Amino acid sequence: MEHKPRNSEATLARSGLFSWGANSYGQLGLGHREDVLLPQQLNDFCKPVCVRRITGGGGHSAVVTDGGSLFVCGLNRDGQLGLGHTEDVLYFTPCKSLLGCPIQQVACGWDFTIILTENGQVLSCGSNFYGQLGVPRGPRRCVVPQAIELLREKVVSVAAGLRHALAATASGVVFQWGTGLASSGRRSCPGQTLPPFLTAKEPSRVTETGKVFTWGRADYGQLGRKVESHEGWKPEKQGSPLPCSRPQKSVPSSLHCLTGATEVSCGSEHNLAVIGGACYSWGWNEHGMCGDGSEATVWAPKPVQALQSSSGLLVGCGAGHSLALCQLPACPSPDAHRDAKSQEAVDRERLEGKMTSTQSQADGCRNGGL
């Protein structure tokens, strides 16, 4: 479910948008291509109070505002930014081709982008090599967002994986397209016919219960939990700093430590979550995307200490970078400062008055005794 902050503007007036991690293509929106190990606040390309959604892909990032505008930056080799060209962009830039078409949500895959408009229509741009744009007879790539015509129901939410995408409709139906999961499906189920949604290059209906589990690779702690030896762990070479090697498989299991999370975002091999207003990270950290100032793997969800004084509102992961919208600590207003000084002056006057009165009484006592 998409989380939208609904606090008052006065409360969120000091919100800040941060980015960190891999930055080879300018996907952090900071104007350069150097990796960043600690969260850096972005310049005001839009008011943070107006940010509705933030997310990242293989090397690109996207932000949706409350006004329905879409801002993008980073890798654009396949036109995944939807700007009508294939040049990389180092700063968050408005997607002008969508002006007049308010955006509700955006999801970024490895090299493509899925866009949901406020009227429930789904658009796509970028690479279509694996059918991830949902347009089966379309070009190999698209540099301007185009409608996925086969999604005729009103869509309320979209998501994107490495080379596949999903959409949930108002009636509760989930559609999937893109063949990126087909090869792993064949390895997992040799000789069996795969479900149509794993091999479809156009929206295909998915039938599932809606329960959420985590499974798959855990070599960088990306599942946020320990994977037992019977699930496929192999002993690591003696003397290795890592506790285990890449597991061959793992059994789907719920992640209890994230109970109460209001936001969860998955990258390639790292993840972010917001729990009780705190931003948590875990998983692969080679480019510093866990935001702890190191490049060491984070094996279980833990708070991002650099953001501990800022309440987390929204988070988004790219393949190797991270973004977070946070409410900044409140600063005393000038009026409050003046009020404090005024009160201090009043207290001083009262104290001086008491001291004068006490001194007068003492003088009177001494005079009366002479």
Side-chain angles (χ1 to χ4, degrees):
M1 178 182 292
E2 181 179 0
H3 170 67
K4 300 179 187 178
R6 280 290 173 255
N7 302 40
S8 67
E9 285 204 14
T11 302
L12 297 178
R14 282 189 46 77
S15 298
L17 185 60
F18 296 82
S19 63
W20 63 96
N23 195 33
S24 300
Y25 307 102
Q27 60 263 49
L28 300 186
L30 297 171
H32 60 77
R33 299 174 185 264
E34 301 297 323
D35 287 3
V36 176
L37 301 185
L38 289 171
Q40 298 292 314
Q41 188 168 352
L42 288 156
N43 294 328
D44 294 332
F45 67 91
C46 71
K47 293 181 179 179
V49 68
C50 296
V51 173
R52 172 187 291 172
R53 188 79 180 182
I54 51 179
T55 190
H60 65 298
S61 303
V63 170
V64 178
T65 69
D66 272 342
S69 296
L70 174 64
F71 291 83
V72 291
C73 68
L75 181 62
N76 195 33
R77 184 180 302 145
D78 292 292
Q80 53 263 57
L81 300 186
L83 300 175
H85 60 76
T86 57
E87 299 295 324
D88 295 350
V89 177
L90 304 185
Y91 294 95
F92 277 101
T93 301
C95 189
K96 295 183 179 179
S97 62
L98 296 175
L99 291 178
C101 180
I103 304 305
Q104 175 71 23
Q105 187 189 354
V106 63
C108 298
W110 180 257
D111 50 12
F112 68 101
T113 304
I114 303 296
I115 302 163
L116 175 62
T117 69
E118 288 191 349
N119 64 8
Q121 186 179 38
V122 181
L123 312 174
S124 61
C125 59
S127 172
N128 197 33
F129 189 83
Y130 293 89
Q132 58 267 56
L133 298 188
V135 185
R137 290 172 294 279
R140 296 291 288 270
R141 71 180 185 186
C142 182
V143 299
V144 175
Q146 59 182 341
I148 302 179
E149 300 292 350
L150 293 176
L151 279 173
R152 296 184 177 90
E153 294 189 53
K154 181 179 180 180
V155 172
V156 295
S157 183
V158 293
L162 186 69
R163 295 184 176 103
H164 71 287
L166 301 99
T169 70
S171 63
V173 177
V174 175
F175 291 88
Q176 180 173 308
W177 62 93
T179 63
L181 294 177
S183 58
S184 60
R186 293 189 185 98
R187 288 194 298 269
S188 301
C189 308
Q192 299 182 30
T193 301
L194 294 180
F197 61 82
L198 288 181
T199 58
K201 293 187 176 182
E202 59 188 45
S204 178
R205 184 167 178 161
V206 179
T207 54
E208 292 294 342
T209 64
K211 294 182 179 179
V212 178
F213 297 86
T214 64
W215 69 95
R217 284 180 53 192
D219 47 334
Y220 293 104
Q222 56 265 55
L223 297 186
R225 58 184 174 87
K226 182 179 180 181
V227 179
E228 302 297 338
S229 58
H230 71 271
E231 291 183 279
W233 288 105
K234 284 186 176 180
E236 188 58 69
K237 292 185 293 186
Q238 189 172 6
S240 170
L242 297 179
C244 48
S245 67
R246 178 179 300 183
Q248 300 304 302
K249 63 179 181 178
S250 68
V251 177
S253 179
S254 59
L255 192 56
H256 298 296
C257 64
L258 294 183
T259 299
T262 54
E263 275 276 306
V264 178
S265 181
C266 299
S268 174
E269 293 159 322
H270 81 289
N271 309 284
L272 296 175
V274 176
I275 310 172
C279 180
Y280 284 70
S281 66
W282 68 99
W284 183 43
N285 196 26
E286 183 177 342
H287 301 281
M289 52 277 210
C290 287
D292 63 355
S294 78
E295 297 178 54
T297 297
V298 178
W299 294 97
K302 68 176 186 179
V304 179
Q305 294 298 324
L307 298 176
Q308 62 181 344
S309 61
S310 303
S311 180
L313 301 171
L314 297 171
V315 289
C317 287
H321 66 290
S322 306
L323 305 101
L325 177 70
C326 298
Q327 180 181 326
L328 302 179
C331 287
S333 67
D335 290 340
H337 185 62
R338 284 196 298 270
D339 292 343
K341 291 181 67 176
S342 299
Q343 185 62 45
E344 183 180 350
V346 170
D347 293 341
R348 187 183 301 112
E349 289 175 0
R350 288 176 178 171
L351 179 60
E352 290 174 352
K354 287 181 180 179
M355 292 178 65
T356 301
S357 175
T358 302
Q359 183 66 37
S360 298
Q361 292 176 7
D363 291 345
C365 288
R366 285 196 294 272
N367 293 335
L370 291 176

